[in-house]
Amino acid sequence: LYSESFVSPWTTPSTSATKTKSSKLLYRTNDPTSFGGEESSTNDRSERRRQQQEEDLFDLNDVNDDTKELVKSVNYFISRKCNYACKFCFHTQKTTHHLALEQAKLGLRLLKDAGTEKINFAGGEPFYFPELLGQLCKIASNDLDLAVSIISNGSLITREWMEEYGRYVDVLGVSVDSFHDATNAAIGRGEGPNSNKNNHLSRIFKVREWCYEQDIIFKVNTVVCSKNWEEDMTENIRKLNPKRWKVFQVLLLEDENMGNEQNLRDARPLVVTDEEFQSFVERHKAIPQMIPESNEVMQNSYLLLDEDMRFLDCSGGGKIPGESILKVGVHRALQQAGFDHGMFKERGGVFDW
C-alpha cells in the first residue's frame, strides 16, 4: 500500500536497548552509497527523499510523556487472512494483504520511538505468513528491545519455526474455546464441521510443550459463547498450566460479525448474557491465572493496529480505522483510536512481560 512512498532505507543495528528519540538517526545509514555516474546521482536523490520522508514521520511522532504512557502495549494485526472460520470472529477476512517487511519495520520503529514497550502480533492468523512473522519478531526483540507476544489459533505453528524464532518471543497465546472436539467444530475452530477430524486440542498441547522448551510464557485465550458457557474447563486448563488465561465475553461489532450484508460472520446466535458469562467465571474462580474480560472491559481497552497500521476505534460499536501511523506518525493517529487507557490499566494491561 505504501511501497512507493515508504520504502525504508534504514539499516538494522545489532542492539538498540539504549536508543532514544535523540538517537533515532542511528537507525539510518550515514551516507547514501555512491556508485558514480548519472544513475548513481538519481539513486542518491531518491535515497535522500526517502530518508527525509522518514525523518518527517519521526518529527510528527511528537513524543511526550502522555503518548509514552498510552502506547506501552500495542496489538498489530499483520493481516486478516486466516485458515479457520470461527463464527464469532470480530476481525474477519475482509482483506488478505499485509505490509511489506520494510514498511512494517518502519511502523515498529515509529512505535518504539513513541514509547511502545510491548508489541503483540495477531491476525487473522499471524502464522499464515511464518517468515514475515519471524522477521518481525526478530526486529522487534533484537533491534528495538520490545517485548514480543503473539496470539494464534495454534494450527500453523511448527517446531521448526519455534526453534528458529522462539528466542525472539516472550509470550505466545493460543485460542482454546472448548476441550470437546464437537464444540470446537461447532464454533469453527479446526478443519471443519466434522468433529472426528478436529485436531485443534492435540496441536495446542504440542505448542505448550514447545513454549516450555523455548522458555516462552504460554498463555490461553478463551471466548465464552453460547456453545461453551456451561463447560467446566478447570481440569484441562490446569493440565495446560498457562501463565495467563484470558477469558473474554463474545463481542459483537458492526461490519464484522453482526450478520448484515457487509459482514462475513454472524455471531448473534453465540451471544451470552452477562449472567451466563459471570457463571462461567464463577465456575473457574479456583484458577488463579484467569483474567475475565466482559464486553465493557474489553471493547475499548486495547490499542489495535490493522494491516495498514491504522488504529481501530471500537468505541462506537464498530471498528473505524483512522490514519496510518506510516502517514501521520503515532501521536496524531493515536487521537483517532478511541482508546480507554483507564480501563487498560484496570484490566491489568501492564504485567511482567
Side-chain angles (χ1 to χ4, degrees):
L1 182 62
Y2 308 107
S3 58
E4 294 183 5
S5 300
F6 293 101
V7 177
S8 174
W10 305 62
T11 58
T12 303
S14 58
T15 59
S16 65
T18 60
K19 287 183 173 64
T20 63
K21 189 182 181 195
S22 62
S23 64
K24 63 175 179 276
L25 296 184
L26 294 177
Y27 289 121
R28 195 183 61 194
T29 53
N30 292 325
D31 295 292
T33 302
S34 176
F35 298 96
E38 183 177 341
E39 182 179 351
S40 175
S41 177
T42 301
N43 289 339
D44 288 350
R45 287 196 297 270
S46 177
E47 183 79 0
R48 286 194 292 270
R49 283 197 298 271
R50 287 194 291 266
Q51 290 179 357
Q52 186 60 54
Q53 286 175 331
E54 294 194 7
E55 290 180 29
D56 290 345
L57 271 177
F58 278 95
D59 289 338
L60 285 172
N61 254 6
D62 191 24
V63 177
N64 55 53
D65 290 342
D66 290 339
T67 302
K68 288 181 178 180
E69 181 66 23
L70 290 174
V71 298
K72 278 189 176 181
S73 177
V74 175
N75 301 271
Y76 171 31
F77 300 113
I78 64 175
S79 170
R80 286 177 174 263
K81 196 169 181 63
C82 187
N83 60 319
Y84 275 12
C86 302
K87 295 178 180 178
F88 49 60
C89 179
F90 58 80
H91 197 70
T92 55
Q93 192 172 300
K94 298 193 291 186
T95 68
T96 58
H97 70 275
H98 60 78
L99 290 176
L101 179 61
E102 290 301 313
Q103 281 99 55
K105 286 165 61 177
L106 174 58
L108 292 179
R109 290 184 172 113
L110 286 167
L111 290 170
K112 172 68 176 181
D113 180 66
T116 298
E117 299 175 6
K118 172 178 167 285
I119 187 74
N120 178 54
F121 296 114
E125 172 48 49
F127 282 92
Y128 210 100
F129 304 97
E131 181 63 23
L132 174 64
L133 176 63
Q135 290 300 318
L136 290 175
C137 291
K138 184 176 180 179
I139 291 163
S141 178
N142 258 16
D143 303 345
L144 302 178
D145 195 33
L146 295 173
V148 174
S149 71
I150 304 171
I151 296 297
S152 168
N153 63 36
S155 65
L156 301 178
I157 303 174
T158 65
R159 178 184 289 276
E160 291 75 20
W161 191 96
M162 295 288 279
E163 289 175 349
E164 182 171 359
Y165 295 111
R167 72 196 72 179
Y168 309 118
V169 180
D170 297 286
V171 182
L172 178 55
V174 293
S175 300
V176 181
D177 299 315
S178 176
F179 289 90
H180 301 300
D181 288 341
T183 304
N184 281 316
I187 289 171
R189 296 273 186 211
E191 289 73 16
N194 188 339
S195 62
N196 293 326
K197 295 182 179 179
N198 193 298
N199 299 311
H200 182 69
L201 289 174
S202 61
R203 291 199 197 96
I204 297 305
F205 278 91
K206 286 182 181 178
V207 172
R208 179 203 62 173
E209 294 305 319
W210 297 337
C211 284
Y212 289 167
E213 290 172 6
Q214 298 296 325
D215 195 26
I216 297 171
I217 293 174
F218 179 69
K219 170 184 167 184
V220 168
N221 283 1
T222 297
V223 177
V224 178
C225 66
S226 62
K227 302 290 186 183
N228 65 0
W229 73 272
E230 296 180 285
E231 184 174 339
D232 188 344
M233 302 184 184
T234 303
E235 180 180 352
N236 285 300
I237 289 293
R238 283 175 171 162
K239 287 179 182 178
L240 281 174
N241 192 29
K243 180 70 176 292
R244 289 164 67 84
W245 181 30
K246 300 292 283 292
V247 173
F248 303 107
Q249 183 179 6
V250 65
L251 178 66
L252 296 180
L253 288 176
E254 295 176 7
D255 298 326
E256 293 286 355
N257 62 0
M258 293 185 68
N260 61 39
E261 292 182 358
Q262 292 77 36
N263 290 191
L264 298 178
R265 298 286 187 276
D266 186 356
R268 290 174 298 178
L270 298 173
V271 168
V272 292
T273 65
D274 292 343
E275 291 74 20
E276 288 168 338
F277 178 71
Q278 288 303 322
S279 174
F280 182 93
V281 171
E282 184 67 19
R283 190 178 309 119
H284 298 91
K285 64 182 181 180
I287 299 179
Q289 303 102 310
M290 181 178 63
I291 304 169
E293 294 187 13
S294 65
N295 288 169
E296 181 183 3
V297 172
M298 176 186 178
Q299 184 167 336
N300 303 314
S301 65
Y302 288 81
L303 268 180
L304 310 175
L305 276 179
D306 74 359
E307 61 274 18
D308 297 318
M309 286 200 160
R310 302 175 298 182
F311 284 119
L312 297 172
D313 183 354
C314 302
S315 61
K319 273 187 174 179
I320 308 302
E323 297 172 280
S324 174
I325 66 172
L326 297 175
K327 288 185 175 180
V328 300
V330 175
H331 179 73
R332 176 169 159 181
L334 191 60
Q335 297 172 24
Q336 306 163 19
F339 180 51
D340 187 339
H341 185 245
M343 189 62 76
F344 167 76
K345 292 194 295 184
E346 185 176 324
R347 69 169 174 80
V350 178
F351 59 95
D352 185 14
W353 52 52

PDB file of all heavy atoms in Angstrom, residues 76 103-113 116 119 121 135-137 139-140 144 146 309 325-326:
ATOM      1  N   TYR A  76      -0.842  -5.473  16.869  1.00  0.00           N
ATOM      2  CA  TYR A  76      -0.717  -5.247  15.426  1.00  0.00           C
ATOM      3  C   TYR A  76      -1.247  -6.472  14.683  1.00  0.00           C
ATOM      4  O   TYR A  76      -0.666  -7.550  14.739  1.00  0.00           O
ATOM      5  CB  TYR A  76       0.744  -4.975  15.082  1.00  0.00           C
ATOM      6  CG  TYR A  76       1.082  -4.927  13.601  1.00  0.00           C
ATOM      7  CD1 TYR A  76       0.171  -4.491  12.644  1.00  0.00           C
ATOM      8  CD2 TYR A  76       2.357  -5.315  13.168  1.00  0.00           C
ATOM      9  CE1 TYR A  76       0.505  -4.450  11.300  1.00  0.00           C
ATOM     10  CE2 TYR A  76       2.690  -5.276  11.824  1.00  0.00           C
ATOM     11  CZ  TYR A  76       1.765  -4.850  10.896  1.00  0.00           C
ATOM     12  OH  TYR A  76       2.088  -4.815   9.563  1.00  0.00           O
ATOM     13  N   GLN A 103       8.005  -1.657   5.280  1.00  0.00           N
ATOM     14  CA  GLN A 103       7.017  -0.741   5.850  1.00  0.00           C
ATOM     15  C   GLN A 103       6.672  -1.128   7.290  1.00  0.00           C
ATOM     16  O   GLN A 103       6.524  -0.271   8.161  1.00  0.00           O
ATOM     17  CB  GLN A 103       5.749  -0.731   4.996  1.00  0.00           C
ATOM     18  CG  GLN A 103       5.849   0.099   3.741  1.00  0.00           C
ATOM     19  CD  GLN A 103       6.141  -0.777   2.538  1.00  0.00           C
ATOM     20  OE1 GLN A 103       5.419  -1.731   2.263  1.00  0.00           O
ATOM     21  NE2 GLN A 103       7.175  -0.451   1.797  1.00  0.00           N
ATOM     22  N   ALA A 104       6.520  -2.439   7.526  1.00  0.00           N
ATOM     23  CA  ALA A 104       6.214  -2.896   8.878  1.00  0.00           C
ATOM     24  C   ALA A 104       7.345  -2.555   9.842  1.00  0.00           C
ATOM     25  O   ALA A 104       7.103  -2.161  10.992  1.00  0.00           O
ATOM     26  CB  ALA A 104       5.939  -4.400   8.875  1.00  0.00           C
ATOM     27  N   LYS A 105       8.584  -2.684   9.394  1.00  0.00           N
ATOM     28  CA  LYS A 105       9.737  -2.326  10.226  1.00  0.00           C
ATOM     29  C   LYS A 105       9.701  -0.848  10.591  1.00  0.00           C
ATOM     30  O   LYS A 105       9.953  -0.467  11.739  1.00  0.00           O
ATOM     31  CB  LYS A 105      11.042  -2.646   9.482  1.00  0.00           C
ATOM     32  CG  LYS A 105      11.380  -4.114   9.405  1.00  0.00           C
ATOM     33  CD  LYS A 105      12.455  -4.402   8.373  1.00  0.00           C
ATOM     34  CE  LYS A 105      13.757  -3.710   8.661  1.00  0.00           C
ATOM     35  NZ  LYS A 105      14.809  -4.088   7.656  1.00  0.00           N
ATOM     36  N   LEU A 106       9.390  -0.014   9.610  1.00  0.00           N
ATOM     37  CA  LEU A 106       9.294   1.423   9.880  1.00  0.00           C
ATOM     38  C   LEU A 106       8.204   1.690  10.911  1.00  0.00           C
ATOM     39  O   LEU A 106       8.395   2.488  11.842  1.00  0.00           O
ATOM     40  CB  LEU A 106       8.996   2.176   8.580  1.00  0.00           C
ATOM     41  CG  LEU A 106       8.718   3.681   8.715  1.00  0.00           C
ATOM     42  CD1 LEU A 106       9.890   4.403   9.385  1.00  0.00           C
ATOM     43  CD2 LEU A 106       8.422   4.290   7.340  1.00  0.00           C
ATOM     44  N   GLY A 107       7.063   1.018  10.777  1.00  0.00           N
ATOM     45  CA  GLY A 107       5.993   1.196  11.755  1.00  0.00           C
ATOM     46  C   GLY A 107       6.417   0.796  13.154  1.00  0.00           C
ATOM     47  O   GLY A 107       6.100   1.491  14.136  1.00  0.00           O
ATOM     48  N   LEU A 108       7.142  -0.297  13.278  1.00  0.00           N
ATOM     49  CA  LEU A 108       7.616  -0.729  14.593  1.00  0.00           C
ATOM     50  C   LEU A 108       8.579   0.294  15.188  1.00  0.00           C
ATOM     51  O   LEU A 108       8.543   0.566  16.391  1.00  0.00           O
ATOM     52  CB  LEU A 108       8.298  -2.093  14.488  1.00  0.00           C
ATOM     53  CG  LEU A 108       7.413  -3.283  14.140  1.00  0.00           C
ATOM     54  CD1 LEU A 108       8.246  -4.559  14.054  1.00  0.00           C
ATOM     55  CD2 LEU A 108       6.288  -3.461  15.158  1.00  0.00           C
ATOM     56  N   ARG A 109       9.425   0.882  14.358  1.00  0.00           N
ATOM     57  CA  ARG A 109      10.366   1.892  14.857  1.00  0.00           C
ATOM     58  C   ARG A 109       9.630   3.151  15.301  1.00  0.00           C
ATOM     59  O   ARG A 109      10.014   3.794  16.284  1.00  0.00           O
ATOM     60  CB  ARG A 109      11.405   2.202  13.780  1.00  0.00           C
ATOM     61  CG  ARG A 109      12.371   1.041  13.546  1.00  0.00           C
ATOM     62  CD  ARG A 109      13.461   1.393  12.551  1.00  0.00           C
ATOM     63  NE  ARG A 109      14.455   0.326  12.505  1.00  0.00           N
ATOM     64  CZ  ARG A 109      14.681  -0.459  11.458  1.00  0.00           C
ATOM     65  NH1 ARG A 109      13.968  -0.299  10.358  1.00  0.00           N
ATOM     66  NH2 ARG A 109      15.594  -1.400  11.499  1.00  0.00           N
ATOM     67  N   LEU A 110       8.578   3.514  14.573  1.00  0.00           N
ATOM     68  CA  LEU A 110       7.768   4.659  14.993  1.00  0.00           C
ATOM     69  C   LEU A 110       7.117   4.389  16.349  1.00  0.00           C
ATOM     70  O   LEU A 110       7.064   5.277  17.210  1.00  0.00           O
ATOM     71  CB  LEU A 110       6.700   4.950  13.945  1.00  0.00           C
ATOM     72  CG  LEU A 110       7.171   5.599  12.637  1.00  0.00           C
ATOM     73  CD1 LEU A 110       6.080   5.527  11.577  1.00  0.00           C
ATOM     74  CD2 LEU A 110       7.606   7.035  12.865  1.00  0.00           C
ATOM     75  N   LEU A 111       6.616   3.183  16.548  1.00  0.00           N
ATOM     76  CA  LEU A 111       6.000   2.826  17.822  1.00  0.00           C
ATOM     77  C   LEU A 111       7.028   2.862  18.953  1.00  0.00           C
ATOM     78  O   LEU A 111       6.758   3.389  20.032  1.00  0.00           O
ATOM     79  CB  LEU A 111       5.365   1.444  17.733  1.00  0.00           C
ATOM     80  CG  LEU A 111       4.108   1.323  16.863  1.00  0.00           C
ATOM     81  CD1 LEU A 111       3.739  -0.140  16.665  1.00  0.00           C
ATOM     82  CD2 LEU A 111       2.940   2.088  17.482  1.00  0.00           C
ATOM     83  N   LYS A 112       8.202   2.299  18.705  1.00  0.00           N
ATOM     84  CA  LYS A 112       9.262   2.319  19.711  1.00  0.00           C
ATOM     85  C   LYS A 112       9.625   3.746  20.074  1.00  0.00           C
ATOM     86  O   LYS A 112       9.763   4.099  21.249  1.00  0.00           O
ATOM     87  CB  LYS A 112      10.493   1.574  19.175  1.00  0.00           C
ATOM     88  CG  LYS A 112      11.737   1.692  20.037  1.00  0.00           C
ATOM     89  CD  LYS A 112      11.595   0.974  21.366  1.00  0.00           C
ATOM     90  CE  LYS A 112      12.890   1.042  22.157  1.00  0.00           C
ATOM     91  NZ  LYS A 112      12.793   0.336  23.448  1.00  0.00           N
ATOM     92  N   ASP A 113       9.758   4.588  19.068  1.00  0.00           N
ATOM     93  CA  ASP A 113      10.100   5.992  19.286  1.00  0.00           C
ATOM     94  C   ASP A 113       9.039   6.697  20.117  1.00  0.00           C
ATOM     95  O   ASP A 113       9.339   7.582  20.914  1.00  0.00           O
ATOM     96  CB  ASP A 113      10.250   6.676  17.923  1.00  0.00           C
ATOM     97  CG  ASP A 113      10.595   8.146  18.044  1.00  0.00           C
ATOM     98  OD1 ASP A 113      11.700   8.447  18.533  1.00  0.00           O
ATOM     99  OD2 ASP A 113       9.761   8.984  17.658  1.00  0.00           O
ATOM    100  N   THR A 116       6.352   2.700  22.896  1.00  0.00           N
ATOM    101  CA  THR A 116       5.857   1.320  22.999  1.00  0.00           C
ATOM    102  C   THR A 116       6.917   0.422  23.627  1.00  0.00           C
ATOM    103  O   THR A 116       8.098   0.486  23.266  1.00  0.00           O
ATOM    104  CB  THR A 116       5.460   0.782  21.604  1.00  0.00           C
ATOM    105  OG1 THR A 116       4.408   1.584  21.081  1.00  0.00           O
ATOM    106  CG2 THR A 116       4.996  -0.665  21.691  1.00  0.00           C
ATOM    107  N   ILE A 119       4.904  -5.310  21.860  1.00  0.00           N
ATOM    108  CA  ILE A 119       4.127  -5.438  20.629  1.00  0.00           C
ATOM    109  C   ILE A 119       3.529  -6.840  20.579  1.00  0.00           C
ATOM    110  O   ILE A 119       4.217  -7.835  20.843  1.00  0.00           O
ATOM    111  CB  ILE A 119       5.000  -5.161  19.372  1.00  0.00           C
ATOM    112  CG1 ILE A 119       4.136  -5.120  18.109  1.00  0.00           C
ATOM    113  CG2 ILE A 119       6.135  -6.168  19.247  1.00  0.00           C
ATOM    114  CD1 ILE A 119       3.306  -3.890  17.963  1.00  0.00           C
ATOM    115  N   PHE A 121       1.641  -9.444  18.087  1.00  0.00           N
ATOM    116  CA  PHE A 121       1.306  -9.743  16.700  1.00  0.00           C
ATOM    117  C   PHE A 121       0.097 -10.678  16.665  1.00  0.00           C
ATOM    118  O   PHE A 121       0.088 -11.732  17.311  1.00  0.00           O
ATOM    119  CB  PHE A 121       2.488 -10.393  15.985  1.00  0.00           C
ATOM    120  CG  PHE A 121       3.695  -9.502  15.878  1.00  0.00           C
ATOM    121  CD1 PHE A 121       4.869  -9.812  16.546  1.00  0.00           C
ATOM    122  CD2 PHE A 121       3.653  -8.345  15.114  1.00  0.00           C
ATOM    123  CE1 PHE A 121       5.984  -9.006  16.448  1.00  0.00           C
ATOM    124  CE2 PHE A 121       4.768  -7.509  15.017  1.00  0.00           C
ATOM    125  CZ  PHE A 121       5.936  -7.838  15.676  1.00  0.00           C
ATOM    126  N   GLN A 135      10.524 -12.602  11.057  1.00  0.00           N
ATOM    127  CA  GLN A 135      11.386 -11.445  10.886  1.00  0.00           C
ATOM    128  C   GLN A 135      10.914 -10.267  11.739  1.00  0.00           C
ATOM    129  O   GLN A 135      11.725  -9.539  12.313  1.00  0.00           O
ATOM    130  CB  GLN A 135      11.435 -11.042   9.414  1.00  0.00           C
ATOM    131  CG  GLN A 135      12.196 -12.027   8.523  1.00  0.00           C
ATOM    132  CD  GLN A 135      13.640 -12.188   8.946  1.00  0.00           C
ATOM    133  OE1 GLN A 135      14.330 -11.214   9.273  1.00  0.00           O
ATOM    134  NE2 GLN A 135      14.114 -13.421   8.951  1.00  0.00           N
ATOM    135  N   LEU A 136       9.603 -10.082  11.837  1.00  0.00           N
ATOM    136  CA  LEU A 136       9.082  -9.003  12.675  1.00  0.00           C
ATOM    137  C   LEU A 136       9.414  -9.242  14.150  1.00  0.00           C
ATOM    138  O   LEU A 136       9.752  -8.306  14.878  1.00  0.00           O
ATOM    139  CB  LEU A 136       7.573  -8.868  12.477  1.00  0.00           C
ATOM    140  CG  LEU A 136       7.123  -8.316  11.128  1.00  0.00           C
ATOM    141  CD1 LEU A 136       5.600  -8.360  11.019  1.00  0.00           C
ATOM    142  CD2 LEU A 136       7.625  -6.889  10.926  1.00  0.00           C
ATOM    143  N   CYS A 137       9.304 -10.490  14.585  1.00  0.00           N
ATOM    144  CA  CYS A 137       9.666 -10.813  15.976  1.00  0.00           C
ATOM    145  C   CYS A 137      11.135 -10.522  16.227  1.00  0.00           C
ATOM    146  O   CYS A 137      11.509  -9.951  17.261  1.00  0.00           O
ATOM    147  CB  CYS A 137       9.364 -12.284  16.271  1.00  0.00           C
ATOM    148  SG  CYS A 137       7.612 -12.709  16.333  1.00  0.00           S
ATOM    149  N   ILE A 139      13.159  -8.426  14.597  1.00  0.00           N
ATOM    150  CA  ILE A 139      13.401  -6.977  14.570  1.00  0.00           C
ATOM    151  C   ILE A 139      12.915  -6.334  15.865  1.00  0.00           C
ATOM    152  O   ILE A 139      13.622  -5.524  16.484  1.00  0.00           O
ATOM    153  CB  ILE A 139      12.693  -6.350  13.358  1.00  0.00           C
ATOM    154  CG1 ILE A 139      13.358  -6.800  12.063  1.00  0.00           C
ATOM    155  CG2 ILE A 139      12.670  -4.824  13.458  1.00  0.00           C
ATOM    156  CD1 ILE A 139      12.518  -6.577  10.829  1.00  0.00           C
ATOM    157  N   ALA A 140      11.699  -6.688  16.290  1.00  0.00           N
ATOM    158  CA  ALA A 140      11.130  -6.076  17.491  1.00  0.00           C
ATOM    159  C   ALA A 140      11.967  -6.392  18.723  1.00  0.00           C
ATOM    160  O   ALA A 140      12.208  -5.530  19.566  1.00  0.00           O
ATOM    161  CB  ALA A 140       9.697  -6.553  17.684  1.00  0.00           C
ATOM    162  N   LEU A 144      14.888  -3.448  18.482  1.00  0.00           N
ATOM    163  CA  LEU A 144      14.119  -2.396  19.143  1.00  0.00           C
ATOM    164  C   LEU A 144      13.910  -2.644  20.628  1.00  0.00           C
ATOM    165  O   LEU A 144      13.317  -1.811  21.312  1.00  0.00           O
ATOM    166  CB  LEU A 144      12.760  -2.229  18.443  1.00  0.00           C
ATOM    167  CG  LEU A 144      12.835  -1.883  16.959  1.00  0.00           C
ATOM    168  CD1 LEU A 144      11.435  -1.802  16.357  1.00  0.00           C
ATOM    169  CD2 LEU A 144      13.573  -0.581  16.753  1.00  0.00           C
ATOM    170  N   LEU A 146      11.894  -4.512  22.227  1.00  0.00           N
ATOM    171  CA  LEU A 146      10.495  -4.604  22.621  1.00  0.00           C
ATOM    172  C   LEU A 146      10.205  -5.998  23.160  1.00  0.00           C
ATOM    173  O   LEU A 146      10.774  -6.992  22.701  1.00  0.00           O
ATOM    174  CB  LEU A 146       9.587  -4.344  21.416  1.00  0.00           C
ATOM    175  CG  LEU A 146       9.627  -2.957  20.778  1.00  0.00           C
ATOM    176  CD1 LEU A 146       8.789  -2.950  19.506  1.00  0.00           C
ATOM    177  CD2 LEU A 146       9.123  -1.902  21.749  1.00  0.00           C
ATOM    178  N   MET A 309      -1.577  -0.534   9.469  1.00  0.00           N
ATOM    179  CA  MET A 309      -1.073   0.224  10.616  1.00  0.00           C
ATOM    180  C   MET A 309      -1.916   1.457  10.906  1.00  0.00           C
ATOM    181  O   MET A 309      -1.406   2.556  11.141  1.00  0.00           O
ATOM    182  CB  MET A 309       0.409   0.569  10.458  1.00  0.00           C
ATOM    183  CG  MET A 309       1.312  -0.644  10.666  1.00  0.00           C
ATOM    184  SD  MET A 309       3.013  -0.222  11.067  1.00  0.00           S
ATOM    185  CE  MET A 309       3.568  -1.772  11.820  1.00  0.00           C
ATOM    186  N   ILE A 325      -0.173   5.239  10.871  1.00  0.00           N
ATOM    187  CA  ILE A 325       0.996   5.840  11.507  1.00  0.00           C
ATOM    188  C   ILE A 325       2.117   6.035  10.485  1.00  0.00           C
ATOM    189  O   ILE A 325       3.016   6.844  10.704  1.00  0.00           O
ATOM    190  CB  ILE A 325       1.504   5.006  12.703  1.00  0.00           C
ATOM    191  CG1 ILE A 325       2.044   3.651  12.252  1.00  0.00           C
ATOM    192  CG2 ILE A 325       0.418   4.836  13.745  1.00  0.00           C
ATOM    193  CD1 ILE A 325       2.723   2.863  13.368  1.00  0.00           C
ATOM    194  N   LEU A 326       2.067   5.317   9.360  1.00  0.00           N
ATOM    195  CA  LEU A 326       3.064   5.471   8.307  1.00  0.00           C
ATOM    196  C   LEU A 326       2.849   6.744   7.504  1.00  0.00           C
ATOM    197  O   LEU A 326       3.702   7.110   6.690  1.00  0.00           O
ATOM    198  CB  LEU A 326       3.032   4.267   7.369  1.00  0.00           C
ATOM    199  CG  LEU A 326       3.378   2.917   7.999  1.00  0.00           C
ATOM    200  CD1 LEU A 326       3.190   1.795   6.991  1.00  0.00           C
ATOM    201  CD2 LEU A 326       4.803   2.918   8.534  1.00  0.00           C
TER     202      LEU A 326
END
